[in-house]
Amino acid sequence: MTVKSSQYKVAIVGGGRQGMALLEALVPPQNSHQYLQVVGVADVNPEAPGLLYAQRHGIFTTERYTELLNLEGVDLIFDAAGQPEVSQELERQRPPQVTVLTGERPYPWDDFWDLIAKGFAPPKTPEPLKVGLVGAGRGGSEVLRLITGDRQHQDRIQILGVADRNPQAPGMAIAQNLGIPTFLNYRELLRQNLDLVMELTGNPKVREELIRIKPATTQVIDHVEARLFYELLRLAEDQFRQKIESEIRLSTQRNRFQRIFDHLPDPVLVLNPDHTVEWVNFTFLHRFQTTEGQVRGQRCYQVLRQLDAPCHQRGLFCPLEEVLEKGTTVQVIHRYPGLDGDIRFDEISMAPLFPREGGTRKRVIEVIKDITAQKRLEEDLQKSEEKAQQLFKQANAGKIFLETILNGIQDNMVVIDADYRIIEVNRAYLEMAGLSRSEVVGKFCYQISHHVDRPCSTPDHPCPLKDALRTGKPASGTHVHYDRQGQERYYHVVCHPLFDETGQATRVVELSQDITKEVMARSRMLHDDKMTSLGKLSASVVHEINNPLTGILTFIKLLQRTLAEGPGQPSGITRISALFRPDGKRDHPGQQDRFQPVGLFQEDPAGIQTGQY
């Protein structure tokens, strides 16, 4: 961008701090020959300070920044919004004759600063400083590049020549390319009516010689002083330009910090000692549904709490005075009714914006963090803890009550999982086994009750645990368990299934009752029944044997009576009859004839035929 004699018409995108700084520098015009004329300002926020400032001075304003491109005769669009997409859109839509400058200060900015400086500088410019360089080596080349490469100093410093005894020195070639005279002898350079000679060889003898032979109006500085001179030269700007540039840089920083603070999640505001609000971030405006114009300059207690007096006069602690007095950060919690009537909580953190030793201006920064949800969560958590403690007490009381019930059961009770491991037992089971709880819990049930190393599976000892888990119904059986003395005891075992949340039976409660006495009594009763039945059977057999014998005896007696009527006594019949008596008992006349045979069918004198028995 080249400087032309007519005025430049400038439009500004962004009415924040950076745009406001430019407006205050350019509007109203400082003099009649000011090159820059502001013709329009755009900002999406109708309450932006730059927009309001432009309206007060009769400058065109809009909320659509692309409309600035259509302003008649606009030459420059200054993007102070700080948003890359805005700059890209302006660059894409700009007419060829319009230049877009952004806050990142690309190359065209140099011309923009020159326009500002030229527009406000006095009409008469000072004569340039005539400088000669002695030494075209590395140092001389660097200084030469610094001076000739900065267009801001082209009207302030004029290089009249470069001297070096080595014609191949790099600085000599640079000077020749720039059209600057070169000399092999620095004496010839001193004849150029110089104001300043920069000795850049680093040789003290050369410096002393230059001081000795130089004209009285010429000053000599060495390479260290030359570097300092250049740095001072860079800072020697026009007072007004320094003010403008520093203000714009400050506004850029403020704009950057403004964007940072605007994106903070908590409301932030800056307060003066009299409680007035100097600055707020966008989060503050969004939460309290207000605008910057309605907040700035107002009292904080009016904006935040709608009070007519400071918070400490209305029952709320205000840390402002303590922060101003001690210069330390103070944190308090405010409890207040919200707009909806619900109680809300804010954590107020206030910190000083001045050094501890004090300052000419004291301000504080206040951060407001809404902790209502946290407080409600803490209250709910406290209630939950109290309820949990109450439930724990109830559960503990219930556990003690349950243990009392379980230990009060005289039958053995044990909880067993599907892997036959014992999970819980009652006191009666421990007393039966003669073991402690730690010696039982975690062991297999068949190890404790049956003293074997595998589950019960024999036909006379079926395991009811398997049936209960398989069917989901109680199962029972009679098992032989071993007591603390290792003696066998008979138990009636009943397994009740326990179900998980899916309805699957995973454990059982085994109740076992000692029925050893009943089993033994039943055995004795069965034995007595057998003996009684055997006695009855024997009596029946005897009865059945006595019946035919009685008939025989009767018959014999009849025969005896018959034979008694005839001669002689039949010997065989007499013997048989002698074996029986009327009382049913046998006669044993002598041991010798106890089992003697009797001939029943032999011829006897009576004529009866008998046979051998």
Side-chain angles (χ1 to χ4, degrees), residues 4-8 29-37 115-124:
K4 57 186 181 180
S5 56
S6 61
Q7 288 184 328
Y8 285 90
Q30 301 295 320
N31 50 55
S32 58
H33 62 275
Q34 181 172 310
Y35 279 89
L36 302 179
Q37 179 187 1
L115 285 174
I116 295 178
K118 189 170 183 178
F120 299 125
K124 183 178 180 181

Side-chain angles (χ1 to χ4, degrees), residues 234-477:
R234 291 180 59 188
L235 297 177
E237 299 290 342
D238 181 81
Q239 183 177 2
F240 183 77
R241 175 173 176 169
Q242 288 180 356
K243 178 181 177 181
I244 294 296
E245 193 163 44
S246 63
E247 181 63 27
I248 292 182
R249 284 174 181 161
L250 181 59
S251 66
T252 303
Q253 294 177 357
R254 288 175 177 173
N255 192 39
R256 185 181 299 112
F257 285 121
Q258 179 75 37
R259 291 197 302 269
I260 293 174
F261 282 113
D262 281 342
H263 287 82
L264 290 177
D266 299 322
V268 180
L269 63 160
V270 176
L271 300 177
N272 293 313
D274 59 351
H275 297 273
T276 56
V277 179
E278 180 175 327
W279 175 86
V280 295
N281 66 346
F282 179 76
T283 308
F284 181 96
L285 301 177
H286 177 73
R287 174 181 167 180
F288 293 97
Q289 297 297 309
T290 185
T291 63
E292 187 173 358
Q294 295 173 334
V295 173
R296 294 183 65 177
Q298 301 297 319
R299 308 289 181 178
C300 58
Y301 50 82
Q302 295 174 339
V303 176
L304 297 175
R305 304 287 178 256
Q306 290 77 47
L307 300 176
D308 56 356
C311 295
H312 66 276
Q313 298 180 15
R314 294 293 184 266
L316 294 174
F317 176 71
C318 179
L320 179 61
E321 293 183 2
E322 183 177 350
V323 173
L324 293 173
E325 180 181 355
K326 298 181 179 180
T328 58
T329 301
V330 180
Q331 189 176 80
V332 297
I333 294 178
H334 278 187
R335 181 179 183 273
Y336 63 97
L339 298 178
D340 54 359
D342 293 338
I343 298 299
R344 303 194 63 84
F345 297 88
D346 279 345
E347 182 182 77
I348 309 296
S349 299
M350 195 173 291
L353 286 180
F354 54 88
R356 289 179 178 269
E357 58 273 9
T360 57
R361 184 181 182 189
K362 290 187 176 183
R363 292 176 298 173
V364 298
I365 183 171
E366 178 178 340
V367 180
I368 305 173
K369 186 177 183 64
D370 186 357
I371 59 172
T372 303
Q374 178 182 342
K375 279 292 184 181
R376 290 176 179 172
L377 182 61
E378 290 177 356
E379 292 176 356
D380 294 341
L381 182 60
Q382 184 176 0
K383 293 179 181 178
S384 299
E385 289 179 353
E386 294 174 355
K387 186 175 181 180
Q389 291 177 359
Q390 184 179 1
L391 292 176
F392 176 76
K393 291 179 180 179
Q394 295 176 356
N396 191 36
K399 180 182 178 183
I400 295 174
F401 179 69
L402 181 61
E403 289 179 352
T404 303
I405 294 176
L406 295 179
N407 292 326
I409 298 175
Q410 298 302 316
D411 295 334
N412 301 335
M413 192 213 75
V414 57
V415 180
I416 309 172
D417 64 10
D419 295 330
Y420 303 96
R421 289 192 181 274
I422 297 175
I423 299 175
E424 190 58 71
V425 294
N426 69 344
R427 186 181 302 162
Y429 187 90
L430 298 176
E431 292 177 353
M432 181 277 297
L435 300 171
S436 64
R437 188 177 184 278
S438 60
E439 293 174 322
V440 174
V441 175
K443 301 295 191 304
F444 294 106
C445 60
Y446 49 80
Q447 292 177 336
I448 304 300
S449 300
H450 300 281
H451 293 183
V452 295
D453 58 356
R454 61 174 62 102
C456 305
S457 59
T458 58
D460 56 338
H461 273 80
C463 181
L465 182 144
K466 294 181 180 178
D467 296 336
L469 293 178
R470 178 175 54 82
T471 63
K473 298 179 180 180
S476 62

